[in-house]
Amino acid sequence: MRLLVVATLFGVLFDAGDTLQIQCYQCEEMSTNDCSTSEFIVNCTVNVQDMCQKEVLVKPDGIHYRKSCASSGACLIASSGYQQFCTGRLNSVCITCCNTPMCNGPKRRKPVPSGAPGLNQRLPLLLLLLLLLLVLECMMTNARILST
């Protein structure tokens, strides 16, 4: 029974990241602002669009922004393909990709560490403890079988 509980917890922890939905800013050719307000936030397609994309175009009438959800493959190909055109000068096109919620918005200040480890920092330790419990359970079961 304990083995079943441990295996279930192990499966839940490994499966938790498979269906995460990212939120990104989305807009087309905005020149008046960089469309980084809440009205431009969209939910990306689960398990398909796993990145946010940001395009910055320098045109004769000013800087234009294009932001959207994207698949990692498409975004990374686009950003590497336009890298040579990312000069910051007239007719420059810069495409960047990121994979955290609303990361294609305005630059954020770096947060001050709180001192308490987050789930991402504790997850390897939790997985190691679960594995240790699983091994211990197997050893105890084998010991019981051998003693009978």
Side-chain angles (χ1 to χ4, degrees), residues 52-77:
C52 298
Q53 180 172 312
K54 180 178 181 178
E55 296 178 47
V56 180
L57 302 96
V58 181
K59 296 187 172 186
D61 62 339
I63 298 174
H64 292 247
Y65 298 90
R66 226 185 275 161
K67 298 180 181 185
S68 63
C69 299
S71 69
S72 54
C75 194
L76 294 171
I77 288 170

PDB file of all heavy atoms in Angstrom, residues 52-77:
ATOM      1  N   CYS A  52       6.873  32.811 -25.231  1.00  0.00           N
ATOM      2  CA  CYS A  52       6.400  34.132 -25.645  1.00  0.00           C
ATOM      3  C   CYS A  52       7.428  34.692 -26.625  1.00  0.00           C
ATOM      4  O   CYS A  52       8.622  34.466 -26.482  1.00  0.00           O
ATOM      5  CB  CYS A  52       6.289  35.067 -24.444  1.00  0.00           C
ATOM      6  SG  CYS A  52       5.118  34.540 -23.176  1.00  0.00           S
ATOM      7  N   GLN A  53       6.933  35.422 -27.610  1.00  0.00           N
ATOM      8  CA  GLN A  53       7.807  36.008 -28.630  1.00  0.00           C
ATOM      9  C   GLN A  53       7.611  37.512 -28.641  1.00  0.00           C
ATOM     10  O   GLN A  53       6.500  38.001 -28.461  1.00  0.00           O
ATOM     11  CB  GLN A  53       7.460  35.427 -30.002  1.00  0.00           C
ATOM     12  CG  GLN A  53       8.305  35.956 -31.131  1.00  0.00           C
ATOM     13  CD  GLN A  53       8.053  35.199 -32.414  1.00  0.00           C
ATOM     14  OE1 GLN A  53       8.041  33.978 -32.434  1.00  0.00           O
ATOM     15  NE2 GLN A  53       7.838  35.925 -33.498  1.00  0.00           N
ATOM     16  N   LYS A  54       8.693  38.237 -28.852  1.00  0.00           N
ATOM     17  CA  LYS A  54       8.641  39.699 -28.926  1.00  0.00           C
ATOM     18  C   LYS A  54       9.460  40.139 -30.132  1.00  0.00           C
ATOM     19  O   LYS A  54      10.606  39.729 -30.283  1.00  0.00           O
ATOM     20  CB  LYS A  54       9.212  40.306 -27.650  1.00  0.00           C
ATOM     21  CG  LYS A  54       9.220  41.816 -27.614  1.00  0.00           C
ATOM     22  CD  LYS A  54       9.778  42.286 -26.270  1.00  0.00           C
ATOM     23  CE  LYS A  54       9.804  43.774 -26.132  1.00  0.00           C
ATOM     24  NZ  LYS A  54      10.309  44.183 -24.810  1.00  0.00           N
ATOM     25  N   GLU A  55       8.827  40.932 -30.990  1.00  0.00           N
ATOM     26  CA  GLU A  55       9.523  41.501 -32.154  1.00  0.00           C
ATOM     27  C   GLU A  55       9.567  43.008 -31.971  1.00  0.00           C
ATOM     28  O   GLU A  55       8.555  43.633 -31.652  1.00  0.00           O
ATOM     29  CB  GLU A  55       8.782  41.177 -33.441  1.00  0.00           C
ATOM     30  CG  GLU A  55       8.716  39.713 -33.769  1.00  0.00           C
ATOM     31  CD  GLU A  55       7.935  39.439 -35.037  1.00  0.00           C
ATOM     32  OE1 GLU A  55       8.183  40.133 -36.053  1.00  0.00           O
ATOM     33  OE2 GLU A  55       7.080  38.550 -35.012  1.00  0.00           O
ATOM     34  N   VAL A  56      10.728  43.572 -32.163  1.00  0.00           N
ATOM     35  CA  VAL A  56      10.901  45.024 -32.111  1.00  0.00           C
ATOM     36  C   VAL A  56      11.420  45.455 -33.478  1.00  0.00           C
ATOM     37  O   VAL A  56      12.482  45.006 -33.913  1.00  0.00           O
ATOM     38  CB  VAL A  56      11.882  45.440 -30.996  1.00  0.00           C
ATOM     39  CG1 VAL A  56      12.037  46.951 -30.961  1.00  0.00           C
ATOM     40  CG2 VAL A  56      11.421  44.910 -29.644  1.00  0.00           C
ATOM     41  N   LEU A  57      10.623  46.275 -34.165  1.00  0.00           N
ATOM     42  CA  LEU A  57      10.961  46.730 -35.512  1.00  0.00           C
ATOM     43  C   LEU A  57      11.229  48.230 -35.474  1.00  0.00           C
ATOM     44  O   LEU A  57      10.427  48.997 -34.935  1.00  0.00           O
ATOM     45  CB  LEU A  57       9.810  46.445 -36.470  1.00  0.00           C
ATOM     46  CG  LEU A  57       9.371  44.986 -36.577  1.00  0.00           C
ATOM     47  CD1 LEU A  57       8.197  44.714 -35.660  1.00  0.00           C
ATOM     48  CD2 LEU A  57       9.015  44.652 -37.981  1.00  0.00           C
ATOM     49  N   VAL A  58      12.330  48.660 -36.024  1.00  0.00           N
ATOM     50  CA  VAL A  58      12.648  50.082 -36.101  1.00  0.00           C
ATOM     51  C   VAL A  58      12.293  50.548 -37.513  1.00  0.00           C
ATOM     52  O   VAL A  58      12.936  50.164 -38.490  1.00  0.00           O
ATOM     53  CB  VAL A  58      14.133  50.357 -35.785  1.00  0.00           C
ATOM     54  CG1 VAL A  58      14.419  51.852 -35.857  1.00  0.00           C
ATOM     55  CG2 VAL A  58      14.512  49.803 -34.417  1.00  0.00           C
ATOM     56  N   LYS A  59      11.242  51.379 -37.595  1.00  0.00           N
ATOM     57  CA  LYS A  59      10.762  51.877 -38.891  1.00  0.00           C
ATOM     58  C   LYS A  59      10.949  53.390 -38.954  1.00  0.00           C
ATOM     59  O   LYS A  59      11.205  54.027 -37.929  1.00  0.00           O
ATOM     60  CB  LYS A  59       9.287  51.515 -39.064  1.00  0.00           C
ATOM     61  CG  LYS A  59       9.046  50.014 -39.129  1.00  0.00           C
ATOM     62  CD  LYS A  59       7.614  49.714 -39.468  1.00  0.00           C
ATOM     63  CE  LYS A  59       7.432  48.228 -39.729  1.00  0.00           C
ATOM     64  NZ  LYS A  59       6.082  47.932 -40.190  1.00  0.00           N
ATOM     65  N   PRO A  60      10.801  53.982 -40.143  1.00  0.00           N
ATOM     66  CA  PRO A  60      10.983  55.436 -40.257  1.00  0.00           C
ATOM     67  C   PRO A  60      10.062  56.236 -39.333  1.00  0.00           C
ATOM     68  O   PRO A  60      10.435  57.305 -38.864  1.00  0.00           O
ATOM     69  CB  PRO A  60      10.656  55.727 -41.724  1.00  0.00           C
ATOM     70  CG  PRO A  60      10.946  54.450 -42.438  1.00  0.00           C
ATOM     71  CD  PRO A  60      10.589  53.361 -41.457  1.00  0.00           C
ATOM     72  N   ASP A  61       8.874  55.704 -39.025  1.00  0.00           N
ATOM     73  CA  ASP A  61       7.947  56.448 -38.161  1.00  0.00           C
ATOM     74  C   ASP A  61       8.080  56.061 -36.683  1.00  0.00           C
ATOM     75  O   ASP A  61       7.272  56.454 -35.860  1.00  0.00           O
ATOM     76  CB  ASP A  61       6.499  56.254 -38.636  1.00  0.00           C
ATOM     77  CG  ASP A  61       6.046  54.806 -38.569  1.00  0.00           C
ATOM     78  OD1 ASP A  61       6.905  53.901 -38.538  1.00  0.00           O
ATOM     79  OD2 ASP A  61       4.826  54.577 -38.538  1.00  0.00           O
ATOM     80  N   GLY A  62       9.082  55.285 -36.339  1.00  0.00           N
ATOM     81  CA  GLY A  62       9.301  54.946 -34.933  1.00  0.00           C
ATOM     82  C   GLY A  62       9.445  53.452 -34.691  1.00  0.00           C
ATOM     83  O   GLY A  62       9.543  52.651 -35.629  1.00  0.00           O
ATOM     84  N   ILE A  63       9.430  53.091 -33.422  1.00  0.00           N
ATOM     85  CA  ILE A  63       9.585  51.685 -33.021  1.00  0.00           C
ATOM     86  C   ILE A  63       8.218  51.023 -32.978  1.00  0.00           C
ATOM     87  O   ILE A  63       7.268  51.563 -32.410  1.00  0.00           O
ATOM     88  CB  ILE A  63      10.287  51.585 -31.654  1.00  0.00           C
ATOM     89  CG1 ILE A  63      11.697  52.176 -31.752  1.00  0.00           C
ATOM     90  CG2 ILE A  63      10.348  50.142 -31.185  1.00  0.00           C
ATOM     91  CD1 ILE A  63      12.431  52.254 -30.430  1.00  0.00           C
ATOM     92  N   HIS A  64       8.128  49.847 -33.587  1.00  0.00           N
ATOM     93  CA  HIS A  64       6.893  49.066 -33.597  1.00  0.00           C
ATOM     94  C   HIS A  64       7.132  47.764 -32.839  1.00  0.00           C
ATOM     95  O   HIS A  64       8.227  47.205 -32.876  1.00  0.00           O
ATOM     96  CB  HIS A  64       6.475  48.742 -35.037  1.00  0.00           C
ATOM     97  CG  HIS A  64       6.056  49.938 -35.818  1.00  0.00           C
ATOM     98  ND1 HIS A  64       4.765  50.132 -36.232  1.00  0.00           N
ATOM     99  CD2 HIS A  64       6.762  51.022 -36.251  1.00  0.00           C
ATOM    100  CE1 HIS A  64       4.691  51.272 -36.895  1.00  0.00           C
ATOM    101  NE2 HIS A  64       5.894  51.836 -36.924  1.00  0.00           N
ATOM    102  N   TYR A  65       6.072  47.303 -32.157  1.00  0.00           N
ATOM    103  CA  TYR A  65       6.166  46.085 -31.366  1.00  0.00           C
ATOM    104  C   TYR A  65       5.160  45.065 -31.867  1.00  0.00           C
ATOM    105  O   TYR A  65       4.030  45.410 -32.206  1.00  0.00           O
ATOM    106  CB  TYR A  65       5.877  46.372 -29.888  1.00  0.00           C
ATOM    107  CG  TYR A  65       6.854  47.330 -29.269  1.00  0.00           C
ATOM    108  CD1 TYR A  65       6.617  48.699 -29.282  1.00  0.00           C
ATOM    109  CD2 TYR A  65       8.022  46.872 -28.676  1.00  0.00           C
ATOM    110  CE1 TYR A  65       7.517  49.588 -28.715  1.00  0.00           C
ATOM    111  CE2 TYR A  65       8.929  47.749 -28.107  1.00  0.00           C
ATOM    112  CZ  TYR A  65       8.660  49.106 -28.126  1.00  0.00           C
ATOM    113  OH  TYR A  65       9.547  49.978 -27.567  1.00  0.00           O
ATOM    114  N   ARG A  66       5.572  43.828 -31.896  1.00  0.00           N
ATOM    115  CA  ARG A  66       4.694  42.700 -32.197  1.00  0.00           C
ATOM    116  C   ARG A  66       4.968  41.655 -31.125  1.00  0.00           C
ATOM    117  O   ARG A  66       6.120  41.251 -30.948  1.00  0.00           O
ATOM    118  CB  ARG A  66       5.040  42.130 -33.573  1.00  0.00           C
ATOM    119  CG  ARG A  66       3.842  41.866 -34.439  1.00  0.00           C
ATOM    120  CD  ARG A  66       4.238  41.202 -35.737  1.00  0.00           C
ATOM    121  NE  ARG A  66       4.643  42.200 -36.709  1.00  0.00           N
ATOM    122  CZ  ARG A  66       5.368  41.941 -37.785  1.00  0.00           C
ATOM    123  NH1 ARG A  66       5.804  40.729 -38.025  1.00  0.00           N
ATOM    124  NH2 ARG A  66       5.677  42.896 -38.627  1.00  0.00           N
ATOM    125  N   LYS A  67       3.938  41.228 -30.430  1.00  0.00           N
ATOM    126  CA  LYS A  67       4.124  40.247 -29.362  1.00  0.00           C
ATOM    127  C   LYS A  67       3.097  39.142 -29.524  1.00  0.00           C
ATOM    128  O   LYS A  67       1.976  39.382 -29.960  1.00  0.00           O
ATOM    129  CB  LYS A  67       3.959  40.909 -27.992  1.00  0.00           C
ATOM    130  CG  LYS A  67       4.990  41.988 -27.744  1.00  0.00           C
ATOM    131  CD  LYS A  67       4.810  42.619 -26.397  1.00  0.00           C
ATOM    132  CE  LYS A  67       5.848  43.723 -26.202  1.00  0.00           C
ATOM    133  NZ  LYS A  67       5.774  44.291 -24.854  1.00  0.00           N
ATOM    134  N   SER A  68       3.508  37.915 -29.147  1.00  0.00           N
ATOM    135  CA  SER A  68       2.587  36.790 -29.309  1.00  0.00           C
ATOM    136  C   SER A  68       3.060  35.573 -28.532  1.00  0.00           C
ATOM    137  O   SER A  68       4.171  35.540 -28.015  1.00  0.00           O
ATOM    138  CB  SER A  68       2.484  36.419 -30.795  1.00  0.00           C
ATOM    139  OG  SER A  68       3.748  35.997 -31.263  1.00  0.00           O
ATOM    140  N   CYS A  69       2.173  34.559 -28.497  1.00  0.00           N
ATOM    141  CA  CYS A  69       2.534  33.227 -28.028  1.00  0.00           C
ATOM    142  C   CYS A  69       3.215  32.522 -29.198  1.00  0.00           C
ATOM    143  O   CYS A  69       2.947  32.844 -30.353  1.00  0.00           O
ATOM    144  CB  CYS A  69       1.284  32.432 -27.645  1.00  0.00           C
ATOM    145  SG  CYS A  69       0.296  33.151 -26.316  1.00  0.00           S
ATOM    146  N   ALA A  70       4.061  31.563 -28.917  1.00  0.00           N
ATOM    147  CA  ALA A  70       4.732  30.835 -29.996  1.00  0.00           C
ATOM    148  C   ALA A  70       5.162  29.462 -29.512  1.00  0.00           C
ATOM    149  O   ALA A  70       5.325  29.244 -28.308  1.00  0.00           O
ATOM    150  CB  ALA A  70       5.950  31.613 -30.483  1.00  0.00           C
ATOM    151  N   SER A  71       5.347  28.566 -30.457  1.00  0.00           N
ATOM    152  CA  SER A  71       5.959  27.280 -30.112  1.00  0.00           C
ATOM    153  C   SER A  71       7.459  27.508 -30.007  1.00  0.00           C
ATOM    154  O   SER A  71       8.006  28.393 -30.669  1.00  0.00           O
ATOM    155  CB  SER A  71       5.651  26.226 -31.173  1.00  0.00           C
ATOM    156  OG  SER A  71       6.333  26.534 -32.369  1.00  0.00           O
ATOM    157  N   SER A  72       8.117  26.733 -29.177  1.00  0.00           N
ATOM    158  CA  SER A  72       9.549  26.947 -28.979  1.00  0.00           C
ATOM    159  C   SER A  72      10.327  26.788 -30.280  1.00  0.00           C
ATOM    160  O   SER A  72      11.217  27.579 -30.573  1.00  0.00           O
ATOM    161  CB  SER A  72      10.092  26.002 -27.903  1.00  0.00           C
ATOM    162  OG  SER A  72       9.772  24.665 -28.202  1.00  0.00           O
ATOM    163  N   GLY A  73       9.967  25.790 -31.084  1.00  0.00           N
ATOM    164  CA  GLY A  73      10.683  25.578 -32.344  1.00  0.00           C
ATOM    165  C   GLY A  73      10.573  26.764 -33.273  1.00  0.00           C
ATOM    166  O   GLY A  73      11.578  27.265 -33.788  1.00  0.00           O
ATOM    167  N   ALA A  74       9.351  27.232 -33.503  1.00  0.00           N
ATOM    168  CA  ALA A  74       9.134  28.350 -34.421  1.00  0.00           C
ATOM    169  C   ALA A  74       9.810  29.624 -33.914  1.00  0.00           C
ATOM    170  O   ALA A  74      10.421  30.366 -34.690  1.00  0.00           O
ATOM    171  CB  ALA A  74       7.639  28.584 -34.627  1.00  0.00           C
ATOM    172  N   CYS A  75       9.696  29.877 -32.636  1.00  0.00           N
ATOM    173  CA  CYS A  75      10.267  31.106 -32.076  1.00  0.00           C
ATOM    174  C   CYS A  75      11.791  31.097 -32.164  1.00  0.00           C
ATOM    175  O   CYS A  75      12.407  32.086 -32.569  1.00  0.00           O
ATOM    176  CB  CYS A  75       9.817  31.285 -30.625  1.00  0.00           C
ATOM    177  SG  CYS A  75      10.149  32.942 -29.994  1.00  0.00           S
ATOM    178  N   LEU A  76      12.391  29.984 -31.798  1.00  0.00           N
ATOM    179  CA  LEU A  76      13.851  29.930 -31.818  1.00  0.00           C
ATOM    180  C   LEU A  76      14.406  30.011 -33.238  1.00  0.00           C
ATOM    181  O   LEU A  76      15.438  30.636 -33.478  1.00  0.00           O
ATOM    182  CB  LEU A  76      14.335  28.670 -31.107  1.00  0.00           C
ATOM    183  CG  LEU A  76      14.037  28.655 -29.607  1.00  0.00           C
ATOM    184  CD1 LEU A  76      14.356  27.292 -29.008  1.00  0.00           C
ATOM    185  CD2 LEU A  76      14.767  29.751 -28.872  1.00  0.00           C
ATOM    186  N   ILE A  77      13.710  29.419 -34.196  1.00  0.00           N
ATOM    187  CA  ILE A  77      14.139  29.518 -35.593  1.00  0.00           C
ATOM    188  C   ILE A  77      14.027  30.961 -36.084  1.00  0.00           C
ATOM    189  O   ILE A  77      14.943  31.489 -36.720  1.00  0.00           O
ATOM    190  CB  ILE A  77      13.316  28.561 -36.487  1.00  0.00           C
ATOM    191  CG1 ILE A  77      13.733  27.119 -36.210  1.00  0.00           C
ATOM    192  CG2 ILE A  77      13.485  28.902 -37.966  1.00  0.00           C
ATOM    193  CD1 ILE A  77      12.838  26.079 -36.852  1.00  0.00           C
TER     194      ILE A  77
END
